[in-house]
Amino acid sequence: MIEFENVSFSYQGQEHDGLHEINLKIADGECVLFCGRSGCGKTTVTRLVNGLIPQFYQGELQGRILVDGQEISSLPMYRIASKVGSVFQNPRTQFFNVDTDSEIAFGIENQARPPKELAERVEQTTEDLNIQKLRKRNIFELSGGEKQKIAFASVYAMNPKIYLLDEPSSNLDMTSIQELAKHLRLIKNQGKTILIAEHRLYYLMNLADRIVYLEQGEIIKIFTPEELRRLPQAERERMGLRAVDLQEILPPANQPVAGKEVLKLCDVALHYKKSGILHGIGLSAAKGEVVGVIGRNGAGKTTFLRALCGLHKSCDGQFLWDGRRMERRARLKRSYMVMQDVNYELFAESVEAECSFGIRNPDHALAEATLGELGLAAYRERHPNTLSGGQKQRVAVAVSMICGKDLLVFDEPTSGLDFDSMAQVAGLIRRLSEMGKVIFIVTHDFEFVCRTCSRVLHFDEGEMADDVPVVTDALPKLRELFSVPDEKMI
């Protein structure tokens, strides 16, 4: 049993993202989904249960959080860790090793398990989660989705009583999300208690027992999955919630006529440490086109974006702009990339300063308008590293609007975003398209693709397998490529 008794918390030096008068009881074996807009307090709830508040995140805490009748704030971290396992939104922040086998074993090693039992537990975890292909790999060479799988496996190996997951689907492709749903069903059937903070709701509708909706740190309402499904789509969107059924999501009937063709790739091949990643890539893109790039985790999508921007050096073939060959340095000057892990590209002391950092003669009026459009104006004086994951993502997207480059590439720009933020980013992408920018977006977000992309490229088995327009007539193929389930998920 987990109990929140009159819990309020405010982060030191911050007025936002705290909690106010939370009272909630979670029974053993229950799966509870926490949802709401970015910054509503979902992640704070998980930090209270795993002891990161107040042992790591400082602030003013009132009330009590009890697990099995014991107050969390009075327990040492090793006692909490024996009961509570956490999978963070950014898995990189919880890794301690450089290879996958050692990472899976790390938690149980710290429990001083005998070597034979430890080895058996790693093998059992690998088999249960079907991650044999990720064994004996360098963690730094994994994709974001593969890292997420290893983070979950390291927790599963410890066999905790309580699982906490913060945006566990944010870096996963659609097939991996379905696998995650199966893993959650597995641990639920084992009697585990599951708390999930999540924006993507559709895959949890048949798993969650209750859905707790928060606004500005307060519990506004608690739904059953069926009650949430019955809400009109417009009402859910007003609440900042994503789709509960992807079958409801439809692309437009037609796409606007594309402008002049400017970008062309001829027989491009990408390598990493003498191993081939992608080969035989040939495509063209016109001004104003928004091209989605999809494929399974580890298919080479991010490497393709990096090559477009001149960040990946091991390339063969030709990159042409207006018929002229672009070498790597020319691509670097013409392009801007929003990375999957935006922490790598946030440098300034405030959100406002970030919007002009490194940009010659920045347009301050455009920066001001973009902050307002993306709901960031209230955070202009905040340090970017104090923002939530979704808020950081929006800051990086804002810079893409302000920098004035011709070729823009986005790696999972809706990772960790609520409906409002996803719609704001989609609106910004459309504006950039109208300005004649050429835009490539790696994404697993079917809802976002249907709002923004003119076509999608599908990478599979080292090559570009499909080039499909995002229009109603192509809906069956799009659903197939995104593994949209024909019926509600397990």
Side-chain angles (χ1 to χ4, degrees):
M1 171 83 72
I2 301 171
E3 299 179 71
F4 293 80
E5 296 182 352
N6 299 315
V7 174
S8 296
F9 179 77
S10 57
Y11 289 94
Q12 187 173 339
Q14 297 183 29
E15 298 178 4
H16 308 280
D17 302 342
L19 294 174
H20 310 287
E21 291 295 322
I22 301 297
N23 287 281
L24 182 67
K25 291 184 179 181
I26 299 171
D28 291 341
E30 192 173 12
C31 178
V32 179
L33 166 61
F34 293 86
C35 63
R37 291 178 172 85
S38 294
C40 71
K42 304 184 298 297
T43 298
T44 303
V45 169
T46 64
R47 289 171 178 169
L48 286 165
V49 177
N50 64 18
L52 289 180
I53 295 174
Q55 297 196 40
F56 184 79
Y57 293 96
Q58 302 299 311
E60 183 179 349
L61 174 62
Q62 298 176 347
R64 301 197 305 162
I65 304 95
L66 306 174
V67 174
D68 293 337
Q70 294 181 295
E71 193 165 350
I72 283 290
S73 61
S74 66
L75 295 177
M77 190 59 81
Y78 75 91
R79 290 277 303 280
I80 299 172
S82 67
K83 295 184 178 184
V84 182
S86 302
V87 180
F88 300 151
Q89 182 176 357
N90 182 356
R92 187 171 60 89
T93 62
Q94 67 185 96
F95 289 152
F96 294 89
N97 297 275
V98 296
D99 68 283
T100 54
D101 285 30
S102 296
E103 187 60 40
I104 295 170
F106 181 78
I108 45 181
E109 280 182 321
N110 280 277
Q111 294 175 342
R113 301 281 185 91
K116 182 180 178 182
E117 182 183 338
L118 187 149
E120 290 173 350
R121 185 61 189 161
V122 171
E123 289 296 331
Q124 187 64 51
T125 296
T126 303
E127 183 179 334
D128 289 353
L129 303 183
N130 193 27
I131 55 170
Q132 289 87 348
K133 291 183 178 180
L134 299 182
R135 291 287 300 275
K136 305 184 188 305
R137 297 271 300 276
N138 184 331
I139 278 181
F140 298 105
E141 295 177 1
L142 301 180
S143 71
E146 289 168 337
K147 289 176 183 175
Q148 197 80 334
K149 292 179 181 180
I150 293 298
F152 184 87
S154 67
V155 173
Y156 183 86
M158 294 178 67
N159 195 30
K161 181 179 179 181
I162 299 167
Y163 283 74
L164 305 179
L165 300 101
D166 189 6
E167 302 286 353
S169 73
S170 60
N171 296 316
L172 300 181
D173 60 39
M174 297 288 273
T175 300
S176 296
I177 290 174
Q178 294 182 35
E179 292 172 357
L180 172 63
K182 292 178 181 178
H183 298 159
L184 293 174
R185 174 67 68 187
L186 171 67
I187 61 176
K188 186 175 181 181
N189 289 341
Q190 292 172 356
K192 308 300 184 182
T193 304
I194 309 170
L195 280 64
I196 309 176
E198 181 64 284
H199 287 304
R200 285 179 177 163
L201 307 180
Y202 72 91
Y203 76 98
L204 296 169
M205 286 298 98
N206 281 4
L207 278 166
D209 298 299
R210 288 187 293 166
I211 299 167
V212 179
Y213 174 68
L214 296 107
E215 275 188 7
Q216 297 181 342
E218 298 182 6
I219 295 177
I220 302 301
K221 190 166 182 179
I222 299 178
F223 298 90
T224 65
E226 198 52 47
E227 288 171 341
L228 191 64
R229 282 196 187 102
R230 286 199 298 264
L231 287 181
Q233 181 178 343
E235 175 65 12
R236 291 196 303 268
E237 292 178 357
R238 185 197 65 77
M239 297 164 63
L241 300 180
R242 302 289 295 269
V244 298
D245 182 359
L246 292 187
Q247 293 291 324
E248 299 174 355
I249 306 303
L250 302 174
N254 299 290
Q255 290 288 349
V257 177
K260 175 189 174 185
E261 181 182 295
V262 289
L263 176 67
K264 190 170 185 179
L265 275 63
C266 301
D267 197 25
V268 168
L270 310 179
H271 314 278
Y272 181 76
K273 291 185 177 180
K274 299 182 180 181
S275 297
I277 299 174
L278 295 169
H279 62 268
I281 301 172
L283 62 91
S284 59
K287 285 188 174 183
E289 271 207 275
V290 182
V291 183
V293 181
I294 66 173
R296 60 177 176 79
N297 291 127
K301 304 182 298 297
T302 296
T303 306
F304 172 72
L305 288 195
R306 290 173 57 83
L308 276 178
C309 290
L311 293 170
H312 184 76
K313 296 180 180 180
S314 301
C315 303
D316 298 322
Q318 293 186 326
F319 296 80
L320 306 175
W321 188 273
D322 267 342
R324 297 179 180 179
R325 185 161 180 167
M326 283 195 302
E327 300 299 340
R328 193 173 71 87
R329 287 184 179 276
R331 300 200 301 276
L332 279 168
K333 290 182 67 174
R334 192 176 290 276
S335 61
Y336 180 82
M337 180 177 186
V338 176
M339 300 180 185
Q340 183 175 9
D341 186 348
V342 296
N343 292 291
Y344 286 124
E345 56 186 311
L346 299 176
F347 304 105
E349 295 295 318
S350 70
V351 169
E352 187 173 41
E354 191 68 50
C355 290
S356 59
F357 188 88
I359 301 174
R360 288 185 180 180
N361 303 315
D363 185 334
H364 293 290
L366 176 61
E368 185 70 23
T370 304
L371 286 176
E373 185 172 347
L374 288 175
L376 295 167
Y379 305 100
R380 67 173 71 252
E381 296 180 3
R382 289 267 298 273
H383 194 290
N385 285 336
T386 67
L387 301 178
S388 71
Q391 290 163 343
K392 289 178 183 178
Q393 196 81 15
R394 280 184 279 158
V395 171
V397 170
V399 177
S400 74
M401 178 71 180
I402 299 160
C403 69
K405 300 296 181 74
D406 297 319
L407 175 60
L408 303 175
V409 299
F410 299 83
D411 194 358
E412 296 287 359
T414 60
S415 172
L417 296 189
D418 58 24
F419 175 82
D420 292 348
S421 301
M422 184 273 291
Q424 288 165 350
V425 171
L428 179 57
I429 297 292
R430 288 194 295 270
R431 280 183 53 198
L432 291 166
S433 169
E434 291 164 1
M435 293 166 62
K437 309 293 185 183
V438 178
I439 303 168
F440 284 79
I441 305 173
V442 164
T443 183
H444 303 301
D445 192 335
F446 184 69
E447 196 173 358
F448 179 68
V449 164
C450 288
R451 283 176 169 265
T452 58
C453 294
S454 49
R455 57 196 246 242
V456 293
L457 310 177
H458 174 222
F459 290 164
D460 189 38
E461 300 296 332
E463 61 185 16
M464 196 177 80
D466 298 281
D467 186 344
V468 182
V470 181
V471 292
T472 305
D473 287 347
L475 183 58
K477 183 62 176 178
L478 290 170
R479 284 178 171 166
E480 176 190 338
L481 292 179
F482 278 87
S483 301
V484 174
D486 294 328
E487 54 191 29
K488 290 181 172 52
M489 297 185 69
I490 60 171

